[in-house]
Amino acid sequence: AQSVAQPEDQVNVAEGNPLTVKCTYSVSGNPYLFWYVQYPNRGLQFLLKYITGDNLVKGSYGFEAEFNKSQTSFHLKKPSALVSDSALYFCAVRDSSGGYQKVTFGTGTKLQVIP
Amino acid sequence: DGGITQSPKYLFRKEGQNVTLSCEQNLNHDAMYWYRQDPGQGLRLIYYSQIVNDFQKGDIAEGYSVSREKKESFPLTVTSAQKNPTAFYLCASSIGVGGASEQFFGPGTRLTVL
């Protein structure tokens, strides 16, 4: 069975500082990994994904994520946080091996950027 | 929220009532999904559909039903058998089921049981 863990319910960071939102995963095969962002009372918006290849993935709004196979992690990062980045962030994983595999979402991390 | 619309935005249900949530997409995607979101629990899959006239149960299908008569539409009915339906419901679509396709989400419907 596949799973995703987001160990922090909330992350606080000062505006202008770098931010990291953590994600670890477990799959039996190779993973497809995704990050989504959700603003209050809205649907999720896709930020970026890892399929294969370069371990550093760049996405929307200046976000990037680093895939680490040995640590089974896919942390979301941004060099300089904006107040407008405050939102709920979800990591998700899908096993790439054989047939249809659903996407499993983490429980979400609330990012609060403090002016 | 891309090319997916959900209606209504807010819905109130009385005990014993069935209600239907609408989901329409103009992205020409084959796959569509329904998720339920509760605080602190992430997203849980209710049903998904890979193609017209075909759909599969997800992790929490009990008390819900769906149809997929058109590629663009995937309505969800919350029946009276669903004991705790108060939640935020999200519809999504993707190019295909499986693989590395990301999902596109609608704005959601918040259902409250009175």
Side-chain angles (χ1 to χ4, degrees):
Chain A
Q2 62 190 30
S3 65
V4 174
Q6 294 183 241
E8 302 156 316
D9 290 335
Q10 181 159 334
V11 170
N12 297 322
V13 63
E15 186 177 23
N17 282 4
L19 69 87
T20 299
V21 182
K22 296 180 180 178
C23 172
T24 59
Y25 67 90
S26 174
V27 294
S28 56
N30 291 316
Y32 296 133
L33 292 155
F34 307 84
W35 275 103
Y36 292 85
V37 60
Q38 184 181 34
Y39 297 97
N41 296 310
R42 301 291 298 276
L44 277 66
Q45 296 177 31
F46 169 73
L47 280 178
L48 51 80
K49 66 182 176 184
Y50 172 82
I51 304 173
T52 187
D54 194 346
N55 291 340
L56 185 64
V57 179
K58 294 188 182 297
S60 306
Y61 312 119
F63 284 94
E64 58 190 26
E66 186 168 10
F67 171 66
N68 188 317
K69 187 171 184 177
S70 63
Q71 297 185 7
T72 61
S73 67
F74 189 56
H75 301 332
L76 182 69
K77 300 182 180 185
K78 188 174 183 182
S80 178
L82 301 172
V83 172
S84 57
D85 293 330
S86 299
L88 188 58
Y89 290 81
F90 288 95
C91 181
V93 67
R94 173 184 275 143
D95 194 327
S96 65
S97 60
Y100 170 69
Q101 300 285 346
K102 69 171 185 177
V103 174
T104 298
F105 288 84
T107 54
T109 298
K110 183 178 180 181
L111 174 66
Q112 190 77 33
V113 181
I114 302 162
Chain B
D1 297 315
I4 300 182
T5 57
Q6 291 185 242
S7 62
K9 188 174 177 65
Y10 298 97
L11 186 56
F12 299 92
R13 194 193 90 168
K14 295 180 180 179
E15 295 282 350
Q17 252 184 353
N18 292 354
V19 291
T20 297
L21 284 60
S22 171
C23 176
E24 303 276 334
Q25 56 102 355
N26 63 3
L27 300 170
N28 199 33
H29 286 169
D30 286 318
M32 296 188 76
Y33 313 80
W34 274 105
Y35 291 94
R36 171 179 171 143
Q37 184 178 15
D38 296 281
Q41 294 195 45
L43 275 67
R44 293 183 288 169
L45 183 64
I46 305 172
Y47 270 96
Y48 67 96
S49 169
Q50 302 185 57
I51 197 170
V52 173
N53 292 323
D54 181 68
F55 48 83
Q56 306 294 328
K57 292 181 178 180
D59 299 320
I60 56 165
E62 185 176 352
Y64 300 97
S65 65
V66 293
S67 63
R68 186 85 186 276
E69 297 177 1
K70 298 186 300 181
K71 187 175 185 177
E72 302 79 18
S73 179
F74 192 41
L76 173 74
T77 297
V78 184
T79 75
S80 57
Q82 171 49 236
K83 298 305 179 189
N84 184 23
T86 294
F88 191 50
Y89 291 86
L90 289 163
C91 180
S93 71
S94 63
I95 292 173
V97 166
S101 300
E102 63 269 26
Q103 295 181 15
F104 293 78
F105 285 81
T109 293
R110 188 166 297 280
L111 173 62
T112 303
V113 174
L114 301 174

